[in-house]
Amino acid sequence: MLKELESLYEGDIVINGQPEHPEDYEWFYTADGDEIGIAKHRLTEQERRLLALFFTPAERRREPESEEERAWKRWMATGDPAAPARLAAPYCRFIHFTASRPITNKEEFADAVCGLFSSPVTIVWEQDRRGLIVEAKQKRTTEPSSLVDMAEALAADFYTAIHLLIGPIRSVDERLYESFLLEKECFSAARRFWPKRTVYEWEDVIPLPLFEEGAVSEKARRILSFLDGFDDKEVRAMETFLQCNLNVSMAAKKLYMHRNSLQYRIDKWTEQTGVDIKRFKGAAAVYLAILHRRRS
């Protein structure tokens, strides 16, 4: 249906994007969380009612609270360099977020988010359900991430599932806008790939372009299909082992099984596939095969 809408309102529709003047658009959400903006002057009242039957109308956007937020919105839409120039830091990190339902009290949400960071942050809303957290950083060093806990805390406080993409710390330079657009695209891909996961780290999404439509050759498909003989439960166990950094004890706890039982299964995986998942190269191969399986 989105393609039909794009054709019908060509030039006056935005899907998962940020126009320069969002207040001139009527906004709707699909069941999959996509955002649709249609220029108000193109819609009749009958069309509005019809669209509201198929999609969820968005609440009216609030006006930006500060010039800083307005500057970041312009930057997100056009790459206007005014916003990054306002950062009193040589580095920054973007945390992209989306919620399963509109956040009605944005001030409380902002207070909750700001309290979870030690560095200064700016929250820029793209829509009622999604936005960007800009974290100013004085150093390029990273501290252990607590954003998984943050997503869970926000979900509990605001009764909505929160999905986050934690971008890497980047230099504030002329390449920042291009990096932002890439991260935004990767966030959408990650949500399609892992719809139940709440937090995506940058290293999670790096391999995803390898599995885009048309990117995988027939030879690669054959090579990466070595997990086809395993059921989903077994593959989830492999993935848990990888997520635990190849730590058998930690993975066994997460899988609610005895360490020796998991060790036996790991040995069987190696025997059946010829790939030693306990070694880095083998683990990398299994991880790519899991991604390929999910994409297929």
Side-chain angles (χ1 to χ4, degrees):
M1 180 175 284
L2 295 185
K3 288 185 178 179
E4 286 79 0
L5 287 175
E6 283 183 302
S7 176
L8 181 61
Y9 296 104
E10 185 177 1
D12 289 309
I13 185 170
V14 176
I15 297 176
N16 293 327
Q18 175 72 8
E20 189 169 358
H21 298 287
E23 66 276 5
D24 294 337
Y25 287 73
E26 200 82 35
W27 294 93
F28 302 88
Y29 297 114
T30 70
D32 294 328
D34 292 308
E35 296 171 337
I36 305 169
I38 302 174
K40 291 179 179 178
H41 72 270
R42 287 290 303 274
L43 291 173
T44 65
E45 188 57 37
Q46 183 178 4
E47 287 173 325
R48 284 189 180 88
R49 289 198 298 267
L50 185 61
L51 287 166
L53 292 176
F54 290 96
F55 307 111
T56 303
E59 294 185 6
R60 184 180 177 185
R61 286 187 169 193
R62 68 182 178 100
E63 288 299 313
E65 294 181 344
S66 65
E67 175 55 35
E68 182 179 26
E69 187 173 348
R70 284 194 289 270
W72 278 109
K73 283 193 172 185
R74 288 194 299 271
W75 179 81
M76 291 164 67
T78 66
D80 183 334
R86 299 169 68 100
L87 275 177
Y91 306 102
C92 72
R93 177 169 64 172
F94 299 129
I95 295 101
H96 306 251
F97 69 88
T98 185
S100 60
R101 57 196 299 179
I103 304 293
T104 55
N105 195 325
K106 294 180 174 58
E107 287 72 23
E108 282 189 11
F109 184 87
D111 289 342
V113 169
C114 291
L116 295 168
F117 287 88
S118 57
S119 305
V121 298
T122 301
I123 300 175
V124 190
W125 291 92
E126 291 186 81
Q127 257 293 346
D128 288 336
R129 300 188 190 201
R130 65 190 290 169
L132 183 73
I133 300 169
V134 184
E135 182 185 12
K137 304 287 286 185
Q138 294 298 331
K139 297 180 180 179
R140 203 159 196 164
T141 54
T142 58
E143 58 279 346
S145 175
S146 61
L147 291 178
V148 174
D149 296 334
M150 170 180 157
E152 292 175 353
L154 292 174
D157 289 345
F158 294 92
Y159 305 103
T160 180
I162 305 287
H163 297 265
L164 306 170
L165 169 66
I166 310 167
I169 296 175
R170 299 187 183 276
S171 297
V172 179
D173 57 23
E174 67 280 357
R175 296 170 296 180
L176 189 62
Y177 185 61
E178 182 181 346
S179 299
F180 158 73
L181 294 178
L182 177 63
E183 288 183 20
K184 188 174 180 179
E185 187 178 336
C186 288
F187 186 30
S188 296
R191 287 169 54 212
R192 291 192 300 270
F193 221 83
W194 295 291
K196 294 183 179 179
R197 192 185 293 189
T198 56
V199 177
Y200 314 102
E201 297 183 275
W202 184 239
E203 51 263 41
D204 291 327
V205 304
I206 287 174
L208 295 188
L210 299 175
F211 299 95
E212 289 179 348
E213 194 67 39
V216 183
S217 68
E218 184 57 36
K219 182 186 292 185
R221 287 190 184 92
R222 293 201 303 271
I223 291 172
L224 292 172
S225 63
F226 63 84
L227 296 183
D228 285 357
F230 296 93
D231 61 24
D232 289 342
K233 182 179 179 181
E234 203 73 9
V235 172
R236 280 195 297 273
M238 294 180 195
E239 190 169 15
T240 300
F241 177 59
L242 296 177
Q243 289 170 348
C244 292
N245 297 315
L246 313 187
N247 185 310
V248 178
S249 298
M250 187 185 301
K253 286 182 180 178
K254 285 199 171 186
L255 292 167
Y256 301 102
M257 61 190 305
H258 194 277
R259 185 186 187 282
N260 291 345
S261 299
L262 178 58
Q263 185 62 63
Y264 172 78
R265 289 169 75 171
I266 290 170
D267 292 339
K268 292 296 290 183
W269 297 338
T270 301
E271 179 184 321
Q272 290 175 259
T273 63
V275 177
D276 188 352
I277 195 174
K278 300 189 299 298
R279 299 175 60 199
F280 170 76
K281 288 189 288 187
V286 170
Y287 181 63
L288 290 175
I290 290 172
L291 293 182
H292 170 68
R293 179 188 176 106
R294 183 173 284 115
R295 177 66 180 83
S296 303

